Amino acid sequence: MYGFGQVVGIPAVMMRGGTSKGLVLRTCDLPSDGALRDQVILRMFGSPDSNQIDGLGGGNSLTSKLALIGPPSHPEAHIDYTFGQVSLDKNVIDYKVTCGNLTAAVGLYAAEEGYVPLAEPITEVKIYNTNIDKLVIAEIPVKNGAIQYEGQFSIAGVPGESSRIMLNFPDAGGTFTQKTLPTGNVVDTVQAGDGRRMEISIVDCVNTIVFVNARDVGLTGTELRADINGNAALLDTLEQIRVEAGILAGLIRPDDPVGPGTHSLPKIVIVADPADYVTSAKEPIRAADIDILSRYISMGGPS
């Protein structure tokens, strides 16, 4: 497979973590040349193709994620983890970002593969995330000497229940810009292409996030995925805000050709005050039971 003329088997694990799913690959099983390695991985995912028909990707940013695993290079870690966001429609893998969901999968993978001895009731897996140069601690539940997979924990938007895997980020601030508030401001102002000026907050904590008030973009905050995906004008405005914020944060250069598939960071999150709403699973949620409404946009669409 390395030369795309010779078939070579590559051990791989497809694993869910939180609300994401991705491919776990060991660096020792891949070409040492980074460019060739990425071409092999893109071929495995079926990219570039927005549907990823000829590959293992699921045609969605949540299912087109990569975890590269290696022996620990940090003195306190059990395992090295490099995250890659595999583009759906471009011949590129973005390593200038990380994913907490897939970090949970990496912790489970490390426990399964013997990178750390199992201990009851919780096995702590210390993961060195090379993207952010930080340690993350995953807590894997163990019972009777075995990993506990069954449980009553669930995540909205993901069917089924399983055990809970907790993640601790001991030192999360300033991951990509060296400052928790990249611009030094709690609130910044950006201008959309139609001239509207909007207040935003840019926070660099594990990933760099741009927060925008739902009402400033004509939303209530209770919209579901289909409502947002079907609004091309809204998605275009959100992308303009994201790019302007990325320039302010120093993550995007003004002359960069930018799109959702080329620059994963910053992410953008729509926030609103609590309100009654009904989930995609038809479950009613009361405003009194929540503190905030939010919708996370990843690679041009809601996750």
Side-chain angles (χ1 to χ4, degrees):
M1 186 174 184
Y2 290 172
F4 301 100
Q6 176 187 7
V7 176
V8 177
I10 299 175
V13 175
M14 182 68 79
M15 188 172 270
R16 175 200 155 196
T19 57
S20 297
K21 183 172 66 177
L23 202 58
V24 182
L25 301 170
R26 298 183 305 180
T27 55
C28 64
D29 297 320
L30 295 165
S32 56
D33 177 80
L36 177 57
R37 177 201 65 198
D38 284 2
Q39 289 305 305
V40 170
I41 293 169
L42 286 160
R43 181 69 181 82
M44 295 173 75
F45 274 84
S47 292
D49 167 28
S50 59
N51 293 312
Q52 296 179 319
I53 295 297
D54 193 26
L56 297 172
N60 184 293
S61 66
L62 298 179
T63 58
S64 191
K65 298 191 173 188
L66 166 71
L68 291 177
I69 300 302
S73 59
H74 188 287
E76 297 179 39
H78 297 113
I79 193 170
D80 270 11
Y81 157 51
T82 300
F83 173 73
Q85 182 68 61
V86 180
S87 177
L88 301 180
D89 58 354
K90 292 183 173 57
N91 199 40
V92 65
I93 302 173
D94 189 353
Y95 295 106
K96 296 179 180 178
V97 64
T98 192
C99 175
N101 286 309
L102 218 57
T103 305
V106 168
L108 183 58
Y109 174 86
E112 288 180 340
E113 294 296 317
Y115 284 83
V116 55
L118 298 182
E120 298 184 34
I122 296 294
T123 294
E124 288 192 347
V125 180
K126 296 179 180 179
I127 303 164
Y128 174 56
N129 188 331
T130 66
N131 308 82
I132 60 177
D133 188 27
K134 293 182 185 292
L135 279 175
V136 184
I137 302 171
E139 298 181 355
I140 309 300
V142 175
K143 185 176 182 180
N144 298 326
I147 297 171
Q148 187 176 358
Y149 294 96
E150 302 299 322
Q152 286 75 52
F153 184 65
S154 64
I155 300 175
V158 180
E161 297 179 337
S162 61
S163 60
R164 182 196 300 259
I165 295 178
M166 296 295 293
L167 296 177
N168 297 317
F169 293 80
D171 178 24
T175 303
F176 289 96
T177 65
Q178 285 70 59
K179 293 188 291 185
T180 303
L181 297 175
T183 66
N185 304 320
V186 175
V187 176
D188 288 287
T189 302
V190 295
Q191 182 171 311
D194 59 7
R196 283 181 294 168
R197 296 183 64 80
M198 303 178 195
E199 290 187 341
I200 60 169
S201 292
I202 309 172
V203 180
D204 183 356
C205 188
V206 182
N207 275 324
T208 310
I209 306 296
V210 183
F211 295 93
V212 60
N213 198 304
R215 66 172 179 266
D216 290 343
V217 290
L219 300 176
T220 64
T222 61
E223 292 82 4
L224 299 180
R225 180 184 298 188
D227 301 317
I228 295 176
N229 273 341
N231 191 334
L234 169 66
L235 291 175
D236 184 57
T237 296
L238 292 174
E239 179 63 9
Q240 292 171 23
I241 295 170
R242 187 184 79 88
V243 171
E244 290 300 310
I247 293 171
L248 287 177
L251 295 173
I252 297 174
R253 293 181 308 206
D255 57 345
D256 277 349
V258 181
T262 61
H263 291 66
S264 295
L265 290 184
K267 307 286 188 182
I268 191 163
V269 174
I270 305 163
V271 293
D273 292 330
D276 295 338
Y277 73 101
V278 178
T279 71
S280 56
K282 309 304 181 185
E283 178 187 1
I285 304 295
R286 298 188 311 149
D289 295 332
I290 57 179
D291 296 314
I292 194 170
L293 289 167
S294 68
R295 171 59 80 183
Y296 185 82
I297 306 295
S298 175
M299 298 185 74
S303 58

